[in-house]
């Protein structure tokens, strides 16, 4: 097997498994940049996956055909934001411990999603959808020699959307007044407040956006990878997205890069057996690689990762 | 004021449990299940027969220990979300000693439990060291360590301890916590001697925290790191120690599964959930030893009762998960209750 063949096997697979992680990690960036810890990404993503699976299934019934997944993305974003609003109210207005509230979100999402699945379908899982996001070659770009074959052939549209959204998030956070305000309430809320920025409002926006993007991540996972929702559809992808966000140093493009890298690790762990040289590496090392790397990154061994200064602390007016 | 504070300590959990069950009932009503019938079946499924009572107590033992693990770290101001991972390595260590060591039960059982505790302590001390040395937040590292534990233990079982059925061999009789006497007493439930270990652990935690210098230092660090440092307490040492002890409780919780309930370890596709439930138990129990036992009794009971609720009233067991999540929320939002009470007490003035 030539080197090119190996790359052609691995890279498209990596891009596919990275897309849901990218969306969710970007959601994490919004929330944590505004100063609210979001351990609940896992739950929000899970609820997005559930919403996506149900919407696509009924979309098919109502004859939406190929549009069903795209409709489901919108629905998952709305419901994701709604679900995240619980976390927002608890951690911003009621000043609950943000980590605890996030843990509760995760519990609630699992319970509610499976409870509703059993209620609606009388089974432990949703029916498998037939309208998936299909693989396609991007016209023109896929004809570029080498790069075209690796990056633009046989891939899901959602993967490119993910990269595109990452660029938008970067632009919004670093090139617009809104982004500056969002980041400022996460770094020094009192200073931001003095400058007339509504700290609570900005944090609400951050958390709701994180819910929308994590919901989208879950729905994309269903539409492109799993095809239905079961209790084992989302098991840790949300936490992996959280890891990607931290490994990417709370930066949208960093999160994008980290998510792609984690996707690569996943792709290799799945198809590593076919690749000469990698067969001998036990799969477990590839499975734990994202987590080990994140810990190393946090310990400053792979570049220093510093969280937003006010992360995790509720803002109280007039408190020093 | 002190009296009032104590009152709140009981009121907040009680109100939270009540609200959690209430909203759970509303959810059932909306989705077309009979709430009163379901809750009746739930309570029947906890207290109705000696079999159910045995199962509830069995379910309590790992929950008490994982709750103690979370609560202990909380006391030092640390949030140990890694109980799940520490539990898995403890489970593996206990089963390993249970299978490969030959000894009379009087030595074998303590040895296996000890191995679980040491394994959990080592796993837990890694985030502790990272926190003390590099100031890395323990929440993230413990989550990451959970996944590392999950995949690593699976790999170890697959390569070194595999028996037919994606699991290890049974532990030797001499390492087993199973008790025919207790099983007979409770109509063939899976109740085992683990509950005794769990309660002893709760007493140890109380003693350690409130009756020793070490406990005083750990709590001082939890209240105010800087003041502790200034008073000459070694903050780094206490952080590592706290995570290690917390991990030891979690590891022993794993031995409950390995030596008691299952007698073996499976290749786990996902987490057991016991570690995460420990967070709920510790929160509800206000991080005190007695509170953890009560919290574990409640959640253990709900989980066992849920089975009967599903059988009798057709309500999916997940409803209990929803109720537990809601309870955590309300406990976490106790600020609301405190704020209201303070407002009332101060005669409407802020």
């Amino acid at each position: 097997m030539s080197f090119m063949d190996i790359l052609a096997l691995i890279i498209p697979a990596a891009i596919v498994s990275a897309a849901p992680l990218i969306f969710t990690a970007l959601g994490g960036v919004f929330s944590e940049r505004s100063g609210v810890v979001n351990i609940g990404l896992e739950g929000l993503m899970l609820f997005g996956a559930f919403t996506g699976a149900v919407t696509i299934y009924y979309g098919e019934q109502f004859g939406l055909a190929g549009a069903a997944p795209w409709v489901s993305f919108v629905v998952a974003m709305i419901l994701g934001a709604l679900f995240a609003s619980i976390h927002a109210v608890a951690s911003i207005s009621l000043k609950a411990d943000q980590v605890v509230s996030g843990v509760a979100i995760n519990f609630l999402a699992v319970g509610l999603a499976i409870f509703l699945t059993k209620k609606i379908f009388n089974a432990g899982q949703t029916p498998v959808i037939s309208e998936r996001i299909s693989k396609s070659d991007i016209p023109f770009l896929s004809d570029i020699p080498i790069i075209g074959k690796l990056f633009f052939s046989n891939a899901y549209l959602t993967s490119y959307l993910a990269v595109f959204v990452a660029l938008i998030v970067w632009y919004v956070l670093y090139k617009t007044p809104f982004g500056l305000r969002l980041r400022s309430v996460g770094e020094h809320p009192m200073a931001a407040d003095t400058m007339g920025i509504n700290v609570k409002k900005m944090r609400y926006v951050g958390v709701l956006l994180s819910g929308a993007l994590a919901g989208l991540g879950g729905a994309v996972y269903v539409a492109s990878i799993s095809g239905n929702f079961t209790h084992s559809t989302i098991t840790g992808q949300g936490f992996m997205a959280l890891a990607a966000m931290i490994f990417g140093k709370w930066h949208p493009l960093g999160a994008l890069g980290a998510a792609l890298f984690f996707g690569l690790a996943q792709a290799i762990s799945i198809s590593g057996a076919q690749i000469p040289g990698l067969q001998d590496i036990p799969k477990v090392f590839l499975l734990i690689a994202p987590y080990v790397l994140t810990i190393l990154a946090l310990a400053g061994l792979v570049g220093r990762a510093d969280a937003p200064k006010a992360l995790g602390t509720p803002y109280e007016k007039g408190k020093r | 004021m002190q009296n009032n504070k104590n009152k709140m300590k009981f009121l907040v959990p009680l109100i939270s449990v009540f609200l959690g069950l209430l909203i759970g009932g509303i959810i059932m009503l909306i989705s077309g299940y009979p709430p009163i019938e379901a809750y009746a079946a739930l309570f029947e499924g906890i207290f109705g027969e000696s079999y159910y009572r045995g199962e509830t107590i069995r379910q309590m033992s790992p929950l008490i220990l994982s709750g103690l693990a979370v609560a202990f770290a909380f006391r030092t101001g640390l949030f140990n979300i890694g109980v799940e991972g520490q539990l898995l390595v403890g489970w593996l260590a206990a089963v390993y000693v249970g299978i490969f060591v030959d000894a009379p039960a009087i030595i074998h059982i303590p040895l296996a439990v000890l191995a679980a505790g040491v394994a959990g302590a080592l796993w837990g001390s890694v985030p502790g060291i990272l926190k003390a040395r590099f100031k890395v937040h323990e929440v993230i590292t413990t989550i990451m360590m959970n996944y590392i534990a999950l995949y690593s233990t699976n790999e170890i079982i697959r390569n070194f301890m595999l028996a037919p059925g994606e699991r290890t061999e049974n532990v030797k009789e001499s390492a087993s916590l199973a008790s025919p006497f207790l099983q007979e007493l409770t109509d063939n439930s899976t109740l085992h001697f683990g509950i005794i270990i769990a309660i002893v652990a709760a007493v140890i935690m109380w003693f350690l925290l409130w009756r020793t210098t070490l406990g005083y230092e750990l709590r001082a660090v939890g209240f105010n790191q800087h003041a502790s440092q200034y008073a000459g307490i070694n903050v780094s040492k206490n952080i590592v120690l706290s995570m290690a002890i917390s991990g030891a409780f979690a590891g022993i919780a794993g031995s409950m599964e390995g030596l008691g309930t299952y007698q073996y370890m499976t290749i786990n596709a996902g987490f057991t959930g016991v570690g995460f439930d420990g967070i709920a138990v510790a929160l509800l129990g206000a991080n005190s030893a007695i509170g953890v036992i009560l919290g574990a009794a409640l959640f253990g009971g709900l989980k066992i009762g849920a089975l009967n609720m599903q059988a009798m009233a057709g309500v999916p067991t997940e409803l209990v998960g929803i109720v537990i999540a809601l309870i955590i929320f309300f406990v976490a939002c106790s600020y609301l209750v405190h704020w209201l009470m303070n407002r009332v007490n101060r005669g409407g003035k802020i």
Side-chain angles (χ1 to χ4, degrees), chain A residues 30-31 34 92 178 182 200-210:
Chain A
F30 269 122
S31 167
S34 75
I92 302 168
F178 167 79
L182 191 92
K200 284 192 173 173
K201 195 180 107 192
M202 289 312 289
R203 289 190 166 176
Y204 265 93
V205 172
V207 174
L208 293 190
L209 280 174
S210 84

Coordinates of all heavy atoms in Angstrom, one line a residue, chain A residues 30-31 34 92 178 182 200-210:
Chain A
F30 N -17.6 29.5 22.5 CA -18.5 30.6 22.8 C -18.8 30.7 24.3 O -18.8 31.8 24.9 CB -19.9 30.5 22.1 CG -19.8 31.2 20.7 CD1 -20.1 30.5 19.6 CD2 -19.6 32.5 20.6 CE1 -20.0 31.1 18.3 CE2 -19.6 33.2 19.4 CZ -19.8 32.4 18.2
S31 N -19.2 29.6 24.9 CA -19.6 29.6 26.3 C -18.5 29.9 27.2 O -18.6 30.8 28.1 CB -20.2 28.2 26.6 OG -20.3 28.1 28.0
S34 N -17.1 33.4 27.2 CA -17.9 34.4 28.0 C -17.8 34.2 29.5 O -18.4 34.9 30.2 CB -19.4 34.3 27.5 OG -20.0 33.2 28.1
I92 N -25.8 31.5 35.5 CA -25.6 32.9 35.4 C -26.5 33.6 36.4 O -26.1 34.5 37.1 CB -25.9 33.4 33.9 CG1 -24.9 32.7 33.0 CG2 -25.6 34.9 33.9 CD1 -25.2 32.9 31.5
F178 N -19.1 42.7 18.9 CA -19.7 41.7 19.7 C -18.7 40.7 20.3 O -18.8 40.3 21.4 CB -20.8 40.9 18.8 CG -21.3 39.7 19.4 CD1 -22.2 39.7 20.4 CD2 -20.7 38.4 19.0 CE1 -22.7 38.5 21.0 CE2 -21.2 37.3 19.6 CZ -22.2 37.3 20.6
L182 N -17.9 39.8 24.1 CA -18.1 38.4 24.6 C -16.8 38.0 25.4 O -16.8 37.5 26.4 CB -18.4 37.5 23.5 CG -18.8 36.1 24.0 CD1 -20.3 36.0 24.2 CD2 -18.3 35.0 23.1
K200 N -24.4 39.9 32.1 CA -25.3 38.7 32.1 C -25.8 38.4 30.7 O -25.9 37.3 30.3 CB -26.4 39.0 33.1 CG -26.0 38.8 34.5 CD -27.2 38.8 35.4 CE -26.7 38.5 36.8 NZ -27.8 38.6 37.8
K201 N -26.2 39.5 30.0 CA -26.7 39.3 28.7 C -25.7 38.6 27.8 O -26.0 37.6 27.1 CB -27.2 40.6 28.0 CG -28.0 40.4 26.8 CD -28.5 41.8 26.3 CE -27.7 42.0 25.0 NZ -27.8 43.4 24.5
M202 N -24.5 39.1 27.8 CA -23.4 38.5 27.0 C -23.2 37.0 27.3 O -23.0 36.2 26.4 CB -22.1 39.3 27.1 CG -22.1 40.7 26.5 SD -22.7 40.8 24.9 CE -21.4 39.9 24.0
R203 N -23.2 36.7 28.6 CA -23.0 35.3 29.0 C -24.2 34.4 28.6 O -23.9 33.3 28.1 CB -22.8 35.2 30.5 CG -21.5 35.8 30.9 CD -21.1 35.6 32.3 NE -19.7 35.9 32.5 CZ -19.1 35.8 33.7 NH1 -19.7 35.4 34.8 NH2 -17.8 36.0 33.8
Y204 N -25.4 35.0 28.7 CA -26.5 34.2 28.2 C -26.3 33.9 26.7 O -26.5 32.8 26.2 CB -27.8 35.0 28.4 CG -28.6 34.6 29.6 CD1 -28.4 35.3 30.8 CD2 -29.5 33.5 29.6 CE1 -29.1 35.0 32.0 CE2 -30.1 33.2 30.8 CZ -29.9 33.9 31.9 OH -30.6 33.5 33.1
V205 N -25.9 34.9 25.9 CA -25.7 34.7 24.5 C -24.7 33.6 24.3 O -24.9 32.7 23.4 CB -25.3 36.0 23.8 CG1 -24.9 35.8 22.4 CG2 -26.4 37.0 23.9
G206 N -23.6 33.7 25.0 CA -22.5 32.7 24.9 C -23.0 31.3 25.1 O -22.7 30.4 24.4
V207 N -23.8 31.1 26.2 CA -24.2 29.8 26.6 C -25.3 29.3 25.6 O -25.2 28.1 25.2 CB -24.8 29.7 28.0 CG1 -25.4 28.4 28.3 CG2 -23.7 30.1 29.0
L208 N -26.2 30.2 25.1 CA -27.2 29.7 24.2 C -26.5 29.3 22.8 O -26.9 28.3 22.2 CB -28.2 30.8 23.9 CG -29.1 31.2 25.2 CD1 -30.3 32.1 24.8 CD2 -29.7 29.9 25.8
L209 N -25.6 30.1 22.4 CA -24.9 29.7 21.2 C -24.2 28.4 21.3 O -24.1 27.6 20.4 CB -23.8 30.8 20.8 CG -24.4 32.1 20.1 CD1 -23.3 33.1 20.0 CD2 -24.9 31.7 18.8
S210 N -23.6 28.1 22.5 CA -22.9 26.9 22.7 C -23.9 25.7 22.6 O -23.6 24.7 22.1 CB -22.2 26.8 24.1 OG -23.1 26.5 25.1

